[in-house]
Structures are given as structure tokens and as C-alpha cells.
Amino acid sequence: MSQETVLQTNVEPVTAEQLEKALAAGADYFAHQPSSQFDRCQQLLKLAQLFDDQAEQLGVQAAHDMHKRLVEGQQEAHAAANIIRYYANNGPALLSPKPYVYGQNDAHAQLEYDPLGIVLAVEPWNFPYTQVIRVLAPNYLAGNPVLLKPARSVAGCAQAMVALTEKAGFPTGAFTSLNLSHDQVANVIGDDRIQGVAVTGSTAVGRHLASLAGQNVKPSTLELGGSDACLVLDDADLATAILEMATSRLRNSGQTCTSAKRFIVRREVADQVIDGLTKIFNRQTIGDPLDAATTLAPLASKAGQERLTAQVKLALDHGAKALVKGGAVGETGFQPTLLTNLTADNPASQEEFFGPVAQLYVVDSDEEAIQVANSTPFGLAGSIFSQDLSRAKHLASRMATGQVFINKGSSGIPELPFGGIKQSGYGREMSDLGILTFMNAKIVVLPD
């Protein structure tokens, strides 16, 4: 698949007739459940293999749609395949009835899981495959059809996924992608055929869509922004910590919700950390995402570049210092930037920077590190670097986040729950929790 053969998709909003046809197809699929659970497992396994086999094509499509580096697009395709395989191999056991015992005579009951109906997935552009698959794979296995509203900039990636599901044997109505307008999304949430809403995006978008779901008494999950803290203690393996910190912050050109954005470093090792990060940040090469020599792709949009530039300027205007100046280059590029001297009243300390900009805080104690880590309205993920596992675990238990990684950067692991708290959202994707979100947990009570 060359740059000339990527999917060029019409991103005009769908008509009312097209929307009704999609909803009717999803409702019909749900009502008749044309595939058995075994069939769905086999179709998911086939889909996973297609993601692996077509990783390069999918990577080219992502490079075209949102400037993702080819190698990162390929890695994302393989990550999507891993999520799919997890649910194909483990989903039936996760959904099996669970026995309960009740009463003085130890009578029996069992908890059964029934699908609810069509799940609306509103997904962004930064990870156009895995963010969709985190919703599609468990819900397809469970019997819930999925209606995807992708970000318009990655409509080509969405179209590519629809084609793969069709090739894998998904029945009509099981998975549909529509370029819905904001008004159409609101109307769809109010439609009785929609029984769940999964949202990944900004806090503002999540708040709005969750309110619509709440007004219609429908379950929802929100995976929103993050300003993840990375704690580097005085006994950390600095070679490992510095590499993991830089890799996390620069992954996907810094456009990752769960990347380490705030480096909270003990004063004893701060100079070494700054020196190591500065060297890595300064040697990045921005260029064509399809060029193997490129180490940092351009941002996905001009608007993203302008927003990041304004945020950095505002931080500097409020007293921050740039250890690595970086900044906008070319049409949408952005050189890595490392900020420090950020006080509590600096607006940057409370914002998410969606690009290759890191904040560095120097602290004198573990207690101060935790206070800084928990001082934002976000709580998605975090990381701690220390050679004292007990010390790291103690601090991890005090971090107000949905995930904490010790001596490694954050990542999505199919077997583990993914999600946040505070303004980073609620609910969990992946693992057993991800398949139960949009299920009716029905207790069947047997006579005693």
C-alpha cells in the first residue's frame, strides 16, 4: 500500500436515511444474534491475524491520516491484534455464569451476563486502531454491536478497519463506522437502540457526552486527558529511567494520553536526569512519517501545533524556564521542549500538553513528590523509578491515578484494566472489566 493508494474517505456527515439504516442493521443484528459465541471467537482470531498481516498498510494509512510514524503505526496494528486475541481466547470464560450462595441453607444462585444492545463508540485520532479495538473486540465477543464515530481526520483508518471486519466474517450490523456530526451524535445517544456510550477524547467532550448518556439513563465510559506524573527517586536506575521517560513523552509525537508529561525528580539526581533528557530531546529528527530516518513525526494538525505553542508561551510568561527550547517547526512539526521552574500558580501545571513538551519538577522528599504528582485535576496513569520496590509500592498506593507502573513507562496491556479517575474519566477498558461494562449482570436465584 503506497502513499498514493491510501483510502480517501468522504467525511461529510451521513444523511438521516444512512443513519437510520445503520441503526436498524445494528438492532437487527442484536435481535437475531446470527453468530454463536464460538463463531465470534473464530472471527476475532481471523481479524487479529489480518491486523498482523496488514500492519504495514495500516501504518501507511495512519501516516497519511494523522502523521503517525510508519513504525509506530505498525506497532499499533500489532497491539490491536493482541487485544483482539486476548478477548477471543479469554472472553468466553470471563462471561461464564458465576455461582453464588445465599441464606442460612446455602441456597444457590448464579450471575449471568447478557448483552445490552448497540454501543456507540466516540473515538479520537491519536490511536485510530487500538482505541477502537478496545471497545469493539470485547463487545463483539459479548454480542453487542458497535457503532463507531471516528475523528474525521482518521476516517480512512476507520474505513480500513471496517474492511478488515468484513473480511473476517463479521455479519452486517455488527460493526459500522459513520462520520456523524455533533448533532447526530446527540440524537444517536437518545435513540433507544443505543444502550451504551464509550468515549475517548478531551475532558470537555467527555463531560458533554456523559451528560447526554446520563439524561437517557445509559451506561458510559470515559477515557479522557491526562497529565501523568513520573517520579524519579534518588535510588533510581537512571539509565533506565531517563530512556523510559523520554520514550514515554515522545511516543506518538507526544500525542498520548498516558505518556509521562510531568517529570518529578529528587534533587539528588536532578542534574543527571536533566542532562540525559536534554541529549535525547535535542537529537530528535522531525520529518516524513514514512521515512525511516524520522524519529519524531509532525503533529497531527496545524491547530495542535498552534495550541502547543500558545501553552508553552503562557508557561514561560508565568515564570517557567525552558531547559530545552524546542518549539514549532515547519507546517505542523514541534521540536521537543523541556520546561522547569513551574510554580503551583502557573497555568501549565494544571494543563495537559498534547505534544512533545515535558515539565520537570525538582523535589526534596518523597512526600513532596506525591503532593506534586496529585496536584492536577487529572488521574490517568503514572510511573515510579526506584530500586527499592517496597518504597516504590508505598508511593504507588498514594498516587491518585488509574494505573501506576514501577520502573517502566505506562502502556496498554490487554490483560490489565485501563482507565482513570478525576477529570481523566471513569470506567475501565481491557481485561475482564472491559468486557463487563456494557453487559446486564443478571442474578438468577434458585429455590432454597
Side-chain angles (χ1 to χ4, degrees):
M1 187 177 191
S2 68
Q3 180 76 341
E4 289 72 28
T5 58
V6 293
L7 297 172
Q8 304 287 347
T9 306
N10 179 6
V11 295
E12 291 300 314
V14 297
T15 65
E17 291 76 15
Q18 290 171 320
L19 176 54
E20 173 56 32
K21 180 179 179 181
L23 288 170
D28 184 72
Y29 169 85
F30 178 71
H32 294 95
Q33 295 288 326
S35 300
S36 67
Q37 187 183 80
F38 176 82
D39 291 336
R40 295 195 295 273
C41 287
Q42 297 306 305
Q43 290 156 358
L44 283 171
L45 290 172
K46 186 173 182 180
L47 179 63
Q49 192 60 51
L50 288 169
F51 265 89
D52 279 336
D53 293 344
Q54 298 191 24
E56 182 172 359
Q57 297 96 311
L58 293 169
V60 171
Q61 186 69 53
H64 172 270
D65 285 6
M66 49 79 60
H67 303 161
K68 189 186 291 282
R69 288 172 61 218
L70 176 59
V71 65
E72 292 183 317
Q74 293 170 317
Q75 291 168 349
E76 185 183 350
H78 292 308
N82 289 337
I83 297 170
I84 297 167
R85 286 196 180 91
Y86 168 76
Y87 282 111
N89 292 327
N90 297 281
L94 298 176
L95 294 177
S96 61
K98 293 178 173 54
Y100 281 72
V101 175
Y102 73 95
Q104 294 181 347
N105 297 321
D106 291 337
H108 292 272
Q110 69 177 21
L111 191 67
E112 300 178 354
Y113 297 105
D114 297 329
L116 291 178
I118 304 174
V119 174
L120 172 66
V122 180
E123 302 296 335
W125 48 263
N126 56 326
F127 285 90
Y129 303 125
T130 53
Q131 286 168 324
V132 175
I133 290 302
R134 292 200 308 247
V135 178
L136 175 60
N139 281 289
Y140 181 67
L141 187 280
N144 289 321
V146 174
L147 172 60
L148 169 65
K149 189 278 180 196
R152 293 194 176 193
S153 60
V154 291
C157 293
Q159 183 177 329
M161 282 189 290
V162 170
L164 291 185
T165 61
E166 292 174 350
K167 193 171 183 179
F170 282 35
T172 300
F175 177 52
T176 306
S177 177
L178 295 177
N179 298 308
L180 301 174
S181 68
H182 296 310
D183 289 342
Q184 287 174 319
V185 169
N187 291 335
V188 165
I189 292 175
D191 192 292
D192 287 341
R193 290 167 290 190
I194 297 293
Q195 289 297 307
V197 182
V199 179
T200 301
S202 69
T203 299
V205 169
R207 184 182 294 115
H208 173 63
L209 296 183
S211 70
L212 293 176
Q215 290 169 25
N216 289 279
V217 197
K218 295 178 181 178
S220 62
T221 60
L222 302 181
E223 194 273 279
L224 309 178
S227 187
D228 294 356
C230 172
L231 279 58
V232 182
L233 306 187
D234 53 300
D235 66 343
D237 177 339
L238 294 183
T240 298
I242 291 167
L243 181 58
E244 289 282 341
M245 293 160 73
T247 300
S248 179
R249 180 69 288 232
L250 301 180
R251 183 166 66 103
N252 203 36
S253 299
Q255 301 165 125
T256 305
C257 296
T258 58
S259 72
K261 299 181 177 73
R262 294 179 299 131
F263 302 149
I264 303 170
V265 183
R266 285 290 299 258
R267 189 173 302 277
E268 296 90 334
V269 295
D271 289 343
Q272 294 163 272
V273 170
I274 290 170
D275 180 65
L277 290 173
T278 298
K279 290 176 180 176
I280 296 175
F281 277 27
N282 281 332
R283 67 171 181 246
Q284 300 304 307
T285 300
I286 297 178
D288 184 343
L290 295 173
D291 187 342
T294 296
T295 61
L296 190 72
L299 299 177
S301 68
K302 184 67 175 178
Q305 184 196 57
E306 292 173 347
R307 182 166 52 252
L308 203 58
T309 299
Q311 285 180 295
V312 171
K313 181 180 184 302
L314 186 62
L316 295 173
D317 289 344
H318 281 77
K321 175 184 176 183
L323 296 171
V324 179
K325 292 185 178 181
V329 292
E331 185 176 353
T332 61
F334 206 96
Q335 289 284 3
T337 301
L338 181 60
L339 302 175
T340 193
N341 289 1
L342 293 120
T343 56
D345 60 350
N346 193 316
S349 70
Q350 301 298 303
E351 295 180 348
E352 177 180 27
F353 283 62
F354 217 57
V357 177
Q359 303 176 23
L360 188 138
Y361 299 81
V362 178
V363 296
D364 292 306
S365 68
D366 291 1
E367 182 64 32
E368 185 183 0
I370 285 295
Q371 290 177 1
V372 175
N374 292 341
S375 65
T376 78
F378 303 103
L380 190 53
S383 54
I384 299 173
F385 289 86
S386 171
Q387 297 188 70
D388 184 337
L389 185 57
S390 296
R391 181 184 180 191
K393 288 171 65 177
H394 173 69
L395 292 175
S397 69
R398 298 180 62 196
M399 290 183 72
T401 67
Q403 300 174 298
V404 182
F405 291 76
I406 296 176
N407 292 331
K408 62 172 66 178
S410 61
S411 62
I413 302 172
E415 296 86 353
L416 304 180
F418 174 82
I421 60 172
K422 301 195 287 187
Q423 296 299 299
S424 291
Y426 55 76
R428 294 295 181 265
E429 296 178 333
M430 299 197 291
S431 78
D432 57 332
L433 302 184
I435 201 170
L436 301 179
T437 301
F438 299 113
M439 301 295 286
N440 173 26
K442 178 175 61 183
I443 191 72
V444 177
V445 183
L446 305 177
D448 54 15

